[in-house]
Amino acid sequence: MDIAAIEGSINTIGYGISVIGAGIGLGIVFGMGMQAIARQPEVRGPLQTNIFLGFALIEALAILGFVLAFAI
């Protein structure tokens, strides 16, 4: 088996693990955000902004993991 094929497989597995981490992070961000909005509906606006900011940062890390998995 070729070394490049082995490295490609390891990179793909590494990306899969990073996506699992991003999925867990998104679940935590949205779950806690919905819980906070349910407890205090009057602060929905600022909380929603923070939820989407957290979403964007977590997704940026997932995309970075995708790029690095195939760049190396």
Side-chain angles (χ1 to χ4, degrees), residues 22-32:
I24 292 170
L26 287 174
I28 291 171
V29 166
F30 282 109
M32 292 295 173

Side-chain angles (χ1 to χ4, degrees), residues 31-56:
M32 292 295 173
M34 292 301 111
Q35 186 178 34
I37 290 171
R39 289 176 185 257
Q40 291 184 336
E42 64 273 6
V43 294
R44 180 176 184 244
L47 279 175
Q48 197 169 15
T49 302
N50 289 338
I51 289 170
F52 288 134
L53 180 63
F55 168 75

Side-chain angles (χ1 to χ4, degrees), residues 1-70:
M1 190 170 213
D2 189 12
I3 295 293
I6 294 172
E7 287 180 5
S9 298
I10 293 173
N11 290 344
T12 306
I13 291 169
Y15 174 64
I17 292 170
S18 71
V19 169
I20 290 171
I24 292 170
L26 287 174
I28 291 171
V29 166
F30 282 109
M32 292 295 173
M34 292 301 111
Q35 186 178 34
I37 290 171
R39 289 176 185 257
Q40 291 184 336
E42 64 273 6
V43 294
R44 180 176 184 244
L47 279 175
Q48 197 169 15
T49 302
N50 289 338
I51 289 170
F52 288 134
L53 180 63
F55 168 75
L57 292 173
I58 292 169
E59 281 298 315
L61 289 175
I63 292 170
L64 181 65
F66 178 72
V67 169
L68 290 177
F70 294 105

